[in-house]
Amino acid sequence: YVILMESPLASPLNLDKSTHVFFKKIFTWDDELVDNIKYFKINYAFKIPSTIIRNINKKKLCCLIVANKQSDYPGELYSERKEIIRWFESTSPSDFDLYGVGWNEYKFTGVKLVRALNRIPIAKKIMYKYFGDYYPSYRGTVKNKIDVMQQYKFAICYENIGNVSGYITEKMLDAFFAGCVPIYLGASNVEKHIPKECFIDRRNFKNNEELYSYLKAVNDSEYQEYIGKIEIFLNSDKGKKFSSNSFARTVVSEIIKD
């Protein structure tokens, strides 16, 4: 048996079917593979609260909490994150805060020998001083995502990779638990698993300007409706499929059948 949770961007081998012959059953997020014979659907698993934070009097508009990464893998969304960061910084800096690791340091890329320099803090510090990308929206790292995210009305929740079927990670769920409305970009069939009334689909907007105009126009009543729909979803059968209990039941029940 094997559990395949990584995206093809992080682990291309996971979706290499030539390796799947070595396993009796495979548990994966990938809807395209699921046949309930050899391949079984599992989601990222969480302890789901029955109620969420319902604070509509938030003074901060939008945040992004994620590590600074890059990739040239087809469909990567790291560049989309950086694009919206720079847009906010240049257009409406007071409405956006950035958190996470790696945004205030230099990252060596290229051949393995060069990447090894990432293990030397002083080398990264010196290179960042002279050649690093400065992000004025950066507010540091966080100890608890939920504590920080609950201060904001909206959170940018872009997956590492887009246009794959069923790949929904912790990003959107963390926002839900914080009572924060996610701005989502990622799984091509996200609405199959999470109702469209629970999040803002980035695909529905032509550009960041249009998205921003929508965010600013959401009134208290509309925001409360989003939060209410999120709470309903988390307590529904669909929502419970993201629970740790559901994850465990799926894996254990298929193993004991054998």
Side-chain angles (χ1 to χ4, degrees):
Y1 308 93
V2 66
I3 294 174
L4 304 179
M5 296 304 293
E6 286 286 7
S7 72
L9 180 152
S11 182
L13 187 63
N14 277 8
L15 298 184
D16 181 355
K17 286 190 175 182
S18 67
T19 66
H20 295 179
V21 298
F22 300 108
F23 301 96
K24 182 181 293 185
K25 290 181 178 178
I26 294 173
F27 303 92
T28 178
W29 52 264
D30 190 347
D31 291 343
E32 297 297 324
L33 291 177
V34 172
D35 59 9
N36 292 319
I37 299 172
K38 181 181 178 74
Y39 297 92
F40 299 87
K41 174 72 176 184
I42 53 171
N43 294 303
Y44 275 63
F46 308 87
K47 181 179 180 181
I48 298 179
S50 57
T51 60
I52 59 176
I53 301 160
R54 283 177 168 268
N55 174 23
I56 63 171
N57 298 313
K58 300 181 180 183
K59 296 180 180 179
K60 299 183 178 182
L61 183 73
C62 186
C63 71
L64 170 59
I65 305 176
V66 72
N68 183 7
K69 297 182 179 181
Q70 62 184 37
S71 172
D72 57 3
Y73 192 89
E76 57 81 24
L77 294 179
Y78 299 141
S79 57
E80 292 289 334
R81 291 177 189 156
K82 291 182 179 179
E83 180 181 319
I84 197 167
I85 290 169
R86 292 307 194 192
W87 185 90
F88 268 107
E89 289 178 340
S90 64
T91 308
S92 187
S94 62
D95 282 328
F96 175 76
D97 291 328
L98 170 66
Y99 301 87
V101 299
W103 296 101
N104 62 339
E105 61 184 27
Y106 187 86
K107 187 171 184 179
F108 292 93
T109 59
V111 298
K112 187 175 182 180
L113 183 61
V114 174
R115 296 199 308 272
L117 293 172
N118 286 313
R119 301 175 184 176
I120 306 174
I122 188 64
K124 295 170 69 175
K125 185 176 181 179
I126 292 172
M127 289 296 289
Y128 178 76
K129 180 178 180 180
Y130 294 102
F131 303 105
D133 290 328
Y134 175 63
Y135 291 88
S137 62
Y138 183 61
R139 303 291 177 260
T141 58
V142 301
K143 291 183 178 180
N144 186 300
K145 286 177 68 176
I146 307 301
D147 289 345
V148 174
M149 205 176 287
Q150 67 182 352
Q151 302 173 44
Y152 297 83
K153 293 181 70 174
F154 306 100
I156 297 167
C157 301
Y158 292 3
E159 303 289 5
N160 296 339
I161 188 171
N163 295 321
V164 288
S165 183
Y167 184 64
I168 301 170
T169 66
E170 80 289 346
K171 296 173 179 62
M172 180 136 56
L173 275 294
D174 283 344
F176 285 168
F177 301 155
C180 182
V181 178
I183 303 162
Y184 185 78
L185 185 62
S188 57
N189 64 341
V190 59
E191 292 180 15
K192 176 181 177 182
H193 301 283
I194 299 177
K196 63 182 180 180
E197 297 83 9
C198 295
F199 64 95
I200 297 168
D201 193 335
R202 176 60 181 81
R203 296 173 298 181
N204 293 336
F205 302 89
K206 292 186 298 184
N207 50 46
N208 289 322
E209 288 83 358
E210 192 175 280
L211 170 64
Y212 177 72
S213 295
Y214 176 81
L215 299 181
K216 294 291 282 186
V218 173
N219 60 39
D220 288 349
S221 176
E222 292 168 333
Y223 190 79
Q224 195 72 285
E225 187 173 347
Y226 270 118
I227 300 301
K229 295 293 186 181
I230 289 170
E231 195 168 84
I232 290 171
F233 162 71
L234 292 176
N235 286 285
S236 70
D237 289 341
K238 271 191 172 183
K240 290 173 183 176
K241 289 182 180 179
F242 288 88
S243 71
S244 52
N245 286 340
S246 177
F247 183 102
R249 280 196 302 269
T250 299
V251 174
V252 172
S253 65
E254 290 304 325
I255 290 176
I256 63 176
K257 286 179 182 178
D258 298 329

